Amino acid sequence: MKVLLYTEGLKTVGKSGLGKAIKHQMAALERENIEYTLNPKDDYDILHINTYFLKSYFLARKAKRLGKKIVYHAHSTEEDYKNGFILSHQTSKLFKWWLTRCYSMGDVLITPTPYSKKLLQSYPGLENKKIYAISNGIDLDFFCSNKKYGEEFRKKYGYSKKDKVIIGIGLYIERKGIVDFVELAKRLPQYKFIWFGYSPLSVATKKVRDAVHTTLDNLTFAGYVEREEIRAALNGCDLYLFPTLEETEGIPIIEACACQTDAIIRDIPIFEEWFQEGYDVYKAKDLDEFEKKIKDFLDGKLPSLVKNALPQAKERDIQEVGKKLKEVYKFVMEETQSV
């Protein structure tokens, strides 16, 4: 059994959450000794496709004609497309139609969470599709708690031991909550705020452009950084803030759990059955709640929850992901033979 892991425009998406997911897939397959290739010209038995662009669509059609098995990885939904870049809200229905057309070619679908699985099952044309909910995973050998990493982070960015540092991670898109992150920095000048991540402002909404152009003494935009620096920041900050408005999973929150970093996340549907308020994370619905919980936590009125959060990361270790992917491949190779 040989798998073609295909991601169109890998160099472009490599700096996004999808890029992380692809690297995790490769590591997961290697740990399970599953032979794979990234070259569509190679021979293969299963096409595991991660993108919905035109080349991806036509590769899937070709694979169908050749009788190859197709595992379509549904990383995106209409819901997480909205409120992203310019005109995304206005074009979301067209995007949903295209996603459905692409995903329908899969013998099975994989999506990161039960929440995104439920969304996809509501799409006309995908109601009866076999869908697996498998996390994009995390490398627990890499993301871990280490005081040394935290010290390096504070030294690099000039933070003292007394500074209360809050970090955010994500592209420059409205959905990630960057506008609220900047507003909180305005409201809470006594704390340091730093945002990691980057995407072209030319396609961002005006709200996002205005937010990123905000100049505050306590606010830093670090831009795109490698995962080593994300690990250092998670170890060196006092709090990870995840004000996202919609996700299919959200790898940074898993990384925060692995590094034993306390987090305040937005109270949205994907996290309802995943995280428990006051047990493994704190949740907030709006700016006022975020502001209050940040102050209460950093003032010592709310306890640390990192010990309860760590199991969330362990459940999503790439070793476990590899085992689940192997089961999916076995299913499409064996069970769909008679379909």
Side-chain angles (χ1 to χ4, degrees), residues 304-316:
S304 172
L305 304 175
V306 296
K307 289 184 179 180
N308 294 335
L310 183 57
Q312 295 284 11
K314 290 182 176 179
E315 288 177 13
R316 293 162 178 82

Side-chain angles (χ1 to χ4, degrees), residues 57 61 72 96-105 126:
Y57 174 74
R61 285 186 60 176
Y72 219 118
K96 180 179 181 179
W97 170 82
W98 178 249
L99 282 184
T100 303
R101 185 166 183 170
C102 292
Y103 293 164
S104 63
M105 288 191 291
L126 300 181

Side-chain angles (χ1 to χ4, degrees), residues 12-152:
T12 302
V13 303
K15 296 181 178 181
S16 66
L18 176 57
K20 288 183 179 180
I22 307 313
K23 291 176 182 176
H24 290 170
Q25 285 175 16
M26 294 164 63
L29 266 58
E30 287 166 8
R31 294 191 182 198
E32 285 298 308
N33 296 312
I34 298 172
E35 186 180 5
Y36 74 89
T37 179
L38 303 179
N39 186 354
K41 294 181 180 179
D42 288 346
D43 189 29
Y44 61 91
D45 302 296
I46 298 171
L47 169 61
H48 184 159
I49 192 165
N50 284 284
T51 41
Y52 49 77
F53 308 125
L54 276 176
K55 286 183 180 179
S56 306
Y57 174 74
F58 286 114
L59 178 62
R61 285 186 60 176
K62 180 181 178 181
K64 278 284 188 186
R65 290 197 303 269
L66 294 173
K68 306 291 188 181
K69 301 303 178 183
I70 301 176
V71 174
Y72 219 118
H73 214 121
H75 295 282
S76 297
T77 65
E78 178 197 13
E79 288 73 13
D80 75 358
Y81 174 80
K82 288 180 182 178
N83 298 318
F85 302 104
I86 293 173
L87 299 178
S88 60
H89 189 82
Q90 294 91 324
T91 58
S92 68
K93 294 301 178 185
L94 178 62
F95 183 72
K96 180 179 181 179
W97 170 82
W98 178 249
L99 282 184
T100 303
R101 185 166 183 170
C102 292
Y103 293 164
S104 63
M105 288 191 291
D107 291 295
V108 301
L109 300 183
I110 295 176
T111 195
T113 57
Y115 169 74
S116 53
K117 176 181 176 179
K118 184 177 179 181
L119 290 178
L120 292 171
Q121 288 174 326
S122 72
Y123 290 12
L126 300 181
E127 311 97 314
N128 300 316
K129 185 68 68 175
K130 179 74 173 177
I131 305 177
Y132 292 85
I134 302 176
S135 171
N136 285 318
I138 183 172
D139 185 354
L140 286 178
D141 291 336
F142 183 86
F143 283 97
C144 58
S145 178
N146 190 308
K147 184 179 178 181
K148 181 185 71 173
Y149 299 145
E151 291 171 349
E152 292 171 354

